[in-house]
Amino acid sequence: MFDSIIQKDKELSVFLNNLGSEQWDSFWLGITNQFYWAPLFLFILILVVKTFGWKRGGVMILAMILLVTISDQLTVFIKDNTFRLRPNNDPEIMNSLRTSLREFTNPQSHSFMSGHATTSTFFSLFTIFLLRERYKQIYFILIFPLFFAYSRLYLGVHFPSDVFVGILTGILLANIYYFFFKKLDKKLFL
């Protein structure tokens, strides 16, 4: 049964990757690059400081930096211990993926689970938890992890299960992290 799930995951990966076209490649290459999301991150940092002030907002920003570090290290640890090849390196399907993207994206690290999906979901949900009482529109930030995660499928560098598990892990981590952050926040500021 597990082999059947892995096979379907590979088939879906090839299908999703082949939905792309050269005219959209540069768009999705931009979406997958964290640098191009810097204006969103800057906006969030400004919003946090504006909402909570320098002292409390500064602690929240430090918590966000720690969050990204934790998520990154966790995903690297899991990747280094699962040894799953990325679609672009998997001999069974690599030649079925769109070749125009290979010159731009050819990561050699392992695939499971998607760090992009995990960290962007974790960060976005934590941000929502912090700001949802003051800004109802903050839920629009969920566009970030959805686009960010899909870009990994489009580019053929993650399997759908890598992204799905990454999103679920991000949701779980955000809830746990926010639970403990609230306790710290109450001790320090309330």
Side-chain angles (χ1 to χ4, degrees):
M1 181 176 156
F2 185 71
D3 289 338
S4 172
I5 293 170
I6 295 296
Q7 191 57 40
K8 293 293 180 197
D9 200 27
K10 290 180 179 189
E11 290 170 11
L12 184 56
S13 185
V14 170
F15 173 76
L16 292 171
N17 174 261
N18 281 284
L19 287 176
S21 66
E22 283 188 40
Q23 72 184 50
W24 286 98
D25 290 353
S26 59
F27 173 78
W28 288 106
L29 284 165
I31 290 291
T32 206
N33 188 332
Q34 297 96 321
F35 175 78
Y36 294 114
W37 290 94
L40 175 66
F41 303 143
L42 184 60
F43 173 73
I44 290 168
L45 298 180
I46 291 169
L47 204 56
V48 166
V49 170
K50 177 184 174 245
T51 305
F52 298 103
W54 282 105
K55 192 173 183 182
R56 190 171 178 205
V59 170
M60 290 175 180
I61 290 168
L62 288 174
M64 290 173 166
I65 292 168
L66 181 61
L67 170 157
V68 170
T69 304
I70 290 168
S71 184
D72 178 65
Q73 293 305 302
L74 176 66
T75 57
V76 167
F77 175 78
I78 291 171
K79 284 178 187 186
D80 287 348
N81 287 286
T82 56
F83 306 110
R84 185 176 193 192
L85 293 174
R86 290 179 181 267
N88 62 303
N89 296 323
D90 186 328
E92 189 178 327
I93 65 167
M94 63 191 278
N95 292 323
S96 299
L97 299 174
R98 292 181 49 242
T99 56
S100 64
L101 293 170
R102 287 198 194 140
E103 64 186 85
F104 299 108
T105 59
N106 197 20
Q108 298 300 310
S109 61
H110 295 104
S111 185
F112 185 82
M113 68 189 168
S114 170
H116 279 70
T118 305
T119 304
S120 63
T121 303
F122 188 177
F123 179 83
S124 297
L125 284 178
F126 184 71
T127 301
I128 288 170
F129 294 155
L130 293 177
L131 298 170
R132 65 185 168 192
E133 291 178 18
R134 305 241 176 116
Y135 306 99
K136 298 300 178 207
Q137 301 84 358
I138 198 65
Y139 288 93
F140 282 113
I141 196 177
L142 291 175
I143 291 169
F144 163 56
L146 293 176
F147 272 57
F148 209 43
Y150 180 74
S151 73
R152 310 309 284 165
L153 299 172
Y154 181 94
L155 298 171
V157 295
H158 277 295
F159 293 100
S161 63
D162 302 338
V163 170
F164 181 72
V165 171
I167 290 170
L168 289 179
T169 303
I171 291 168
L172 178 66
L173 290 173
N175 281 281
I176 293 168
Y177 194 76
Y178 183 67
F179 173 81
F180 288 108
F181 177 80
K182 280 192 314 189
K183 292 183 177 297
L184 175 67
D185 186 52
K186 283 181 183 174
K187 267 189 179 177
L188 294 175
F189 299 104
L190 301 177

